[in-house]
Amino acid sequence: MGTLKLEPARSRPDLVATTVAEALAVWPDEAPVDVDQVLVAPIDPDLADTAAFCEAYEVGLDVSANCVIVAGSRGGVTKYAACIVLATTRADVNGVVRRHLDVRKCSFAPMDEAVRLTGMEYGGITPIGLPADWPILVDARVAATPHVIVGSGVRHSKIAVAGPALGALPGAEVIEGLAREI
C-alpha cells in the first residue's frame, strides 16, 4: 500500500466522513472482512486526486479505486448510484450503467449534488456510508483485487480495504464489464 501509514478506520473517526464512521459502527459481523481490516491513512488533501495521490504515496493505479456518483433519469424520476472502478479504467456510464439502472439518460452527477446527497467531500467519496437506497455497482476487477485504496469521504485520508469487501457492502452488486480500460 505504498508509503501510507494505515490504522483501523473505526478507531480514527477524525479521518473519515461522518456517514463513513456511522457505517463502520454498524459493520455486519458476517462481512467478508472484519471491521478492523478497514484501514485508513492520513494524506495531504491537496494530493487526494488519483494521479497525484498515487505518485506521492507510491500506490499503483491498479490498486487505486475511484467511487463515482452517477445520476440517471426516466420519466422525470432520477436514480442515483455509485460506481466503483479501478483507476486504470472508466465506468461505462452510457452503456452498462444506464442499462443496469434502466434509465433513459445517465451521466456523472454534478459535483454539488454528489456532495450534498452523500455528505462527503468531492474527491473523497467512498462506497462506505452512502445512502442505503443507492445501488453500489462494483466492477468485477475491483472485487477481485486483494486490497484497494479508495476515498474515505474526506480529502485528507484514504481507506484501504479488501476488494471483495466492497462487493459485499449492503446494496452492492459486482458487475463484469462495468468499466473499460483507459
Side-chain angles (χ1 to χ4, degrees):
M1 297 286 109
T3 61
L4 296 173
K5 306 270 189 269
L6 296 162
E7 55 190 302
R10 188 170 59 163
S11 69
R12 293 297 308 268
D14 59 310
L15 291 179
V16 298
T18 301
T19 57
V20 175
E22 291 167 354
L24 293 171
V26 295
W27 193 262
D29 290 336
E30 66 277 1
V33 299
D34 184 83
V35 68
D36 289 330
Q37 292 177 330
V38 178
L39 305 174
V40 69
I43 66 164
D44 180 336
D46 292 332
L47 300 172
D49 293 334
T50 305
F53 163 77
C54 287
E55 183 178 337
Y57 293 94
E58 301 174 18
V59 172
L61 288 170
D62 61 333
V63 296
S64 183
N66 292 320
C67 178
V68 295
I69 305 302
V70 296
S73 61
R74 180 187 286 277
V77 175
T78 301
K79 295 179 182 179
Y80 294 92
C83 297
I84 317 306
V85 300
L86 291 176
T88 56
T89 65
R90 292 197 187 196
D92 182 4
V93 175
N94 290 309
V96 175
V97 176
R98 181 183 58 77
R99 286 189 300 276
H100 188 80
L101 295 177
D102 190 29
V103 293
R104 198 179 233 323
K105 291 181 180 180
C106 193
S107 61
F108 295 107
M111 177 179 60
D112 59 333
E113 244 178 72
V115 168
R116 179 176 51 82
L117 294 171
T118 64
M120 299 179 196
E121 295 176 6
Y122 189 75
I125 294 176
T126 187
I128 300 169
L130 288 173
D133 59 339
W134 285 14
I136 299 171
L137 311 179
V138 181
D139 185 70
R141 287 172 276 212
V142 172
T145 302
H147 287 91
V148 295
I149 304 292
V150 68
S152 63
V154 295
R155 290 183 62 87
H156 64 272
S157 67
K158 293 284 186 179
I159 284 178
V161 65
L166 295 177
L169 289 170
E173 184 175 346
V174 176
I175 299 176
E176 193 71 44
L178 177 68
R180 295 182 181 163
E181 292 290 327
I182 296 177

